[in-house]
Amino acid sequence: MTIQTRFPGRLSALSVAAALGMALSAMPALAQGIMASPEQPMMRTTMSQAQMAEIMAIAQPADQVFAADRAAPTGRTMRAATAAPLADPMIAEGFAGLPTRMMVDESALRELQAEADAAVAASGGMSTDDAGIGNADTIYHYSDALVPPQYFQWPYRSIGKYYFQASDNSWYSCSASLIHRAIIVTAGHCVFDGGRNNQSGWNLQGFFVPGYNANNGNSHLYGVCDIRMMYTTWGWYSEGDLNGGYDVAVAVCGRLRDARYAQNYNGYLPGGRLGYLGFCYMNCARNYFHLTQFGYPSNLYDGDVMTSGAHLSVIGQPLPPQPSLNGVDFVYGSSHSSGTSGGPHIANVGYMQEDPAIATYYSNRNVVFAVSSWGYTNRSIRISGASPLSGYNNTNWFRAMFNRACAQSRTYYGAWSCTNI
C-alpha cells in the first residue's frame, strides 16, 4: 500500500492524495495534544470578489486516498483497532439560528424556493449502484442523494464549502460545518499537511462559504467568513496516518462579508445568524451507528451543490479490502470522492416529533459525530473512512480543542460569542 500526499504532484512514502494545510511560523500552542496554527491574516484587505470567484473556479477538491492492492503498507502504517468505548456519547447542543422570515423577505423567499425547485428538476440522474465491488449484501450499502438546495433552512445552511491556500501555495476545497457562532469543524488534512510535524505544514489562508450552492447565481448567498485560527490533533500533526482516528480539525471564522442579503448577514458571526450543529466530544466512536454524511464531492454535480449519503458506520471491524486491518475510523459505504473531505457525519439529521411513549436510545438531533477523511484509490470499492471527533478512545481531546477555539473566539468577539463545554 502506498500513500500519496494530499497535494497532487508531491508524493511521499505514503499513499494519501489529499489537499489541506494552514499558515507558517510561530510556535504551536500545545495543550492536551492540541496543535494550534499561527493567527491568519484577514483576507478582506487583499482579495476582491473577482479574485475570490477565480479561486473558487480553480481550487482543486481535496482528496485523501490509499491503495488496497498490497497486503502491507509502505511507510507509515494504518493503525489497528482494539475495543471501542461503550460509554454513552457526550454532546454539545446545536442552535437553529434565526427564522428564515426574519432574515429574508417573502419575495426573496419565493425566489429561493423557485431556485431550489429548478435545481432539483435539472439535477439529472445518478447511478443506482449503492454498493461497491464485492460489497453487495453487506453493511456497506449506502444511499447517496442530492440535498435539495433549500439552504435557507437549518441545519443545511450550517454546512458549506471551505477553500484554502495550502502550504504549497495552491488552492484547494474541502467541506466543513458550523458547530458554534464562529467555529467550524473539518478534517485535519484540510488545515495541515499531516505528519509534517512542524509549523510549515499549516495552510496559508482560507475562507468558509456556509450554504454554498453554485447553481443559484450567487454561491455565497450568506456571505463568506475568513479563517483566523486553526487547530488539529497531535496525531494528525505529528503522524498523519490514514485510518488513525485523528484526522480532525476546528477553525475560528471571521464575521460574514459579501452576502447576497447584505443587511441581514454582513458583519455578523455566521453561526449566530444561520445556526450551528450539535457535536459529540467524547465517546463518539460507536459501532453499527447510522450516520448521514454531507459535503461537496467533485464526482457528484462537479461539487457545485451539496450531496448527502446515508449509511451504517462500523468501527473496529476488518477493512474489506485489507481484512488484516481493523477500522480505527468509522468505515462505511459511499460514492463520495474528493472535495467531501471534512464534511460532517450527522446523527438523526432533520426534524421529527417523537412519541414519548416510544423509548429511544439516542434521540438528540443534528449532531456531528465525525468528519469525512479518506477513500480508496480504486473508487469502485466505494468504501470510505471518517474520523470520530473524539478519536477512537477519546485520544483526540476534542473537548479541549473546541475550548481552545472557543477561548480564541471570545478574545476576538467577546465572551458572548462562545461558551466552553
Side-chain angles (χ1 to χ4, degrees), residues 120-283:
V120 171
S123 64
M126 175 181 305
S127 173
T128 56
D129 183 4
D130 61 356
I133 290 178
N135 296 326
D137 303 318
T138 71
I139 58 173
Y140 297 106
H141 278 251
Y142 59 87
S143 178
D144 287 349
L146 171 73
V147 177
Q150 299 174 9
Y151 297 157
F152 44 86
Q153 300 289 351
W154 184 82
Y156 310 105
R157 63 189 183 185
S158 299
I159 304 166
K161 206 164 186 177
Y162 166 45
Y163 291 90
F164 58 93
Q165 187 180 27
S167 57
D168 67 350
N169 290 310
S170 297
W171 282 89
Y172 303 89
S173 67
C174 275
S175 303
S177 57
L178 287 160
I179 56 171
H180 215 282
R181 290 182 181 88
I183 299 175
I184 64 170
V185 64
T186 189
H189 71 263
C190 297
V191 306
F192 187 83
D193 190 4
R196 185 172 293 194
N197 201 24
N198 63 62
Q199 289 294 86
S200 67
W202 291 105
N203 290 350
L204 304 178
Q205 58 181 332
F207 58 90
F208 173 64
V209 189
Y212 178 91
N213 177 9
N215 289 346
N216 67 8
N218 187 329
S219 60
H220 44 95
L221 185 68
Y222 305 116
V224 304
C225 62
D226 300 315
I227 300 303
R228 302 190 64 178
M229 197 80 179
M230 299 159 288
Y231 304 84
T232 192
T233 63
W234 170 252
W236 185 257
Y237 184 93
S238 62
E239 299 177 358
D241 287 344
L242 296 170
N243 189 40
Y246 47 51
D247 186 12
V248 175
V250 298
V252 181
C253 253
R255 297 180 184 275
L256 290 169
R257 59 177 175 86
D258 299 329
R260 178 170 168 181
Y261 303 108
Q263 71 278 10
N264 290 327
Y265 295 99
N266 285 351
Y268 293 96
L269 296 182
R273 299 263 114 176
L274 302 171
Y276 48 85
L277 297 164
F279 62 92
C280 173
Y281 58 87
M282 286 188 70
N283 306 323

Side-chain angles (χ1 to χ4, degrees), residues 302-316:
D302 296 322
D304 288 339
V305 293
M306 188 188 304
T307 52
S308 68
H311 52 255
L312 193 66
S313 298
V314 294
I315 200 163

